[in-house]
């Protein structure tokens, strides 16, 4: 899995976790404390910000644009930066090469550590996804995490983290105090599944089917929801949409649910105390059969 993302790591640089969320919690328990400042994307993954917050860190919210996290002087006094460069959550923006270089320069020049959450590593639908940031990290400043949740099974609770051996050693000791280790039967089953080539076959089928669903979703959006603007990369695992100004997607989500159409209002991804824009939403397409996508979007268009 790691070489596919351009990462070559020794066994003592890898920790198996109970998923990316667990990796974030382990990291926060070890590294965060009152006075530590961590930069987080806004809009962004609320659970990460909450995990850092409950460990006492000061969470700095940094804007995102069409190239990913905005890198500027506001980040300078953060000790840690948390980013989702593969596809930014929730906008789906794939961080540009220029921004990646800028970000890596930033962490070198300001003695910072970057936490790269490559949550959809195994399941990136972009044709030629860029390697992980960790692949270009010659300074040992990038902590990489991912999991099998998106492409295989979120219920399995298996993830992995790559970092300096010294840090992994500390995290392993902490993991031992928390739950000793992820269940060995799951690890063994997965190791066999990988070694026998079933996982790659699964990924191939999964990719084909999900590219088909994505195509159907984008076709339906063009024909039945043309007032809404898809944003981010179409290779992302969900579609981030801007509805016309004045539409409250929380209300829309309620109304659509009455028609058995489930969408996610974007408001929950806007962190901080300011008033969140109300007109964004996120549509998933992985857990829905292909033939139900078009009728669902049609109903959403009617409700809108
Ligand atoms: C950006 C991001 N990171 C981490 C997670 C947690 O994933 P896992 O199931 O690997 O714990 C999620 C879940 O949706 C996510 O969106």
């Amino acid at each position: 899995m790691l070489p596919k993302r351009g990462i070559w790591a020794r066994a003592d640089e890898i920790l198996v976790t109970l998923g990316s969320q667990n990796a974030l919690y382990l990291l926060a328990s070890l590294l965060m404390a009152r006075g530590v400042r961590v930069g987080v994307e806004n809009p962004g993954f609320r659970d990460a910000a909450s995990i850092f917050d409950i460990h006492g860190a000061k969470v700095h919210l940094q804007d995102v644009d069409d190239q990913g996290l905005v890198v500027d002087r506001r980040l300078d006094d953060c000790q840690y930066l948390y980013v989702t460069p593969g596809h930014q959550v929730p906008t789906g923006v794939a961080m540009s090469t220029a921004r990646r270089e800028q970000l890596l320069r930033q962490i070198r020049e300001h003695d910072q550590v970057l936490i790269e959450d490559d949550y959809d590593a195994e399941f990136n639908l972009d044709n030629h996804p860029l390697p992980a940031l960790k692949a270009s990290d010659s300074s040992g400043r990038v902590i990489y995490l991912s999991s099998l949740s998106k492409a295989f099974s979120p219920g399995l609770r298996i993830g992995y983290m790559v970092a300096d051996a010294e840090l992994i050693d500390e995290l392993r000791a902490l993991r031992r105090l928390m739950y000793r280790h992820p269940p060995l039967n799951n690890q063994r089953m997965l190791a066999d599944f990988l070694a026998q080539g079933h996982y790659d076959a699964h990924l191939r089928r999964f990719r084909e089917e999900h590219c088909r669903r994505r195509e159907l979703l984008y076709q339906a959006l063009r024909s039945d929801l043309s007032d809404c603007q898809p944003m981010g990369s179409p290779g992302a695992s969900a579609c981030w949409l801007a509805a016309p100004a004045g539409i409250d997607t929380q209300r829309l989500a309620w109304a659509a649910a009455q028609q058995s159409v489930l969408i996610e209002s974007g408001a929950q991804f806007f962190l901080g105390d300011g008033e969140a824009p109300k007109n964004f939403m996120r549509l998933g397409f992985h857990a829905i059969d292909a033939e139900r996508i078009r009728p669902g979007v049609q109903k959403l268009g009617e409700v809108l």
Side-chain angles (χ1 to χ4, degrees):
M1 292 172 183
L2 294 172
K4 273 192 268 173
R5 302 296 292 130
I7 299 170
W8 300 91
R10 297 190 313 262
D12 64 353
E13 294 169 323
I14 301 170
L15 186 76
V16 177
T17 66
L18 296 175
S20 310
Q21 186 107 353
N22 177 232
L24 287 170
Y25 207 93
L26 284 163
L27 283 171
S29 306
L30 190 69
L31 303 173
M32 310 271 155
R34 209 157 289 284
V36 170
R37 199 171 153 88
V38 51
V40 165
E41 299 158 331
N42 189 30
F45 181 43
R46 182 174 288 275
D47 284 0
S50 301
I51 288 172
F52 302 145
D53 180 61
I54 59 173
H55 286 86
K58 172 94 187 104
V59 175
H60 164 74
L61 302 175
Q62 182 79 357
D63 314 335
V64 170
D65 66 14
D66 58 359
Q67 295 189 63
L69 180 81
V70 172
V71 178
D72 63 22
R73 298 191 60 185
R74 288 173 295 169
L75 294 178
D76 289 0
D77 53 358
C78 293
Q79 282 90 51
Y80 297 94
L81 305 177
Y82 165 78
V83 282
T84 51
H87 289 115
Q88 201 268 334
V89 171
T91 61
V93 167
M95 188 179 280
S96 67
T97 308
R99 189 62 59 79
R100 284 162 189 257
E101 284 166 6
Q102 198 187 354
L103 185 55
L104 290 170
R105 206 165 41 246
Q106 162 81 24
I107 60 170
R108 272 196 311 272
E109 287 174 1
H110 293 88
D111 194 17
Q112 294 165 321
V113 170
L114 191 123
I115 302 170
E116 176 178 20
D117 184 347
D118 200 19
Y119 65 98
D120 69 348
E122 285 295 288
F123 168 53
N124 193 324
L125 297 185
D126 284 332
N127 282 334
H128 300 289
L130 289 168
L133 274 174
K134 177 77 184 157
S136 319
D137 169 39
S138 52
S139 58
R141 294 181 174 280
V142 179
I143 300 171
Y144 175 87
L145 41 115
S146 187
S147 82
L148 285 128
S149 290
K150 301 289 177 207
F152 191 54
S153 162
L156 187 63
R157 307 311 306 150
I158 290 219
Y160 42 96
M161 183 161 22
V162 182
D164 255 24
E166 213 179 323
L167 178 63
I168 292 293
D169 208 35
E170 292 288 330
L171 288 163
R172 187 172 283 112
L174 179 63
R175 187 188 70 173
R176 180 176 180 282
L177 296 178
M178 289 169 101
Y179 54 87
R180 289 196 174 251
H181 52 72
L184 290 179
N185 55 335
N186 289 352
Q187 294 192 60
R188 165 59 63 194
M189 180 274 296
L190 193 63
D192 288 347
F193 195 72
L194 280 163
Q196 291 167 14
H198 300 303
Y199 183 66
D200 281 337
H202 159 77
L203 275 186
R204 243 189 336 271
R205 284 194 302 272
F206 190 88
R207 240 184 104 84
E208 270 170 32
E209 175 57 20
H210 290 272
C211 284
R212 189 165 82 89
R213 292 184 195 181
R214 173 188 62 184
E215 199 41 49
L216 289 169
L217 174 65
Y218 277 82
Q219 273 171 15
L221 291 175
R222 282 193 293 274
S223 56
D224 299 308
L225 212 61
S226 55
D227 285 351
C228 297
Q229 184 62 41
M231 304 173 90
S233 158
S237 54
C239 175
W240 181 248
L241 276 177
I247 299 286
D248 181 342
T249 56
Q250 201 94 54
R251 287 171 185 273
L252 180 67
W254 276 109
Q258 311 300 314
Q259 308 286 323
S260 306
V261 175
L262 302 181
I263 65 162
E264 193 175 25
S265 163
Q268 59 142 326
F269 295 100
F270 290 92
L271 313 175
D273 299 332
E275 201 181 331
K278 291 193 165 76
N279 62 319
F280 289 93
M281 62 181 135
R282 203 164 71 140
L283 305 187
F285 54 92
H286 297 296
I288 179 167
D289 293 336
E291 62 276 9
R292 299 177 70 198
I293 291 177
R294 177 90 196 262
V297 173
Q298 279 171 339
K299 278 190 192 165
L300 188 59
E302 286 159 21
V303 176
L304 185 78

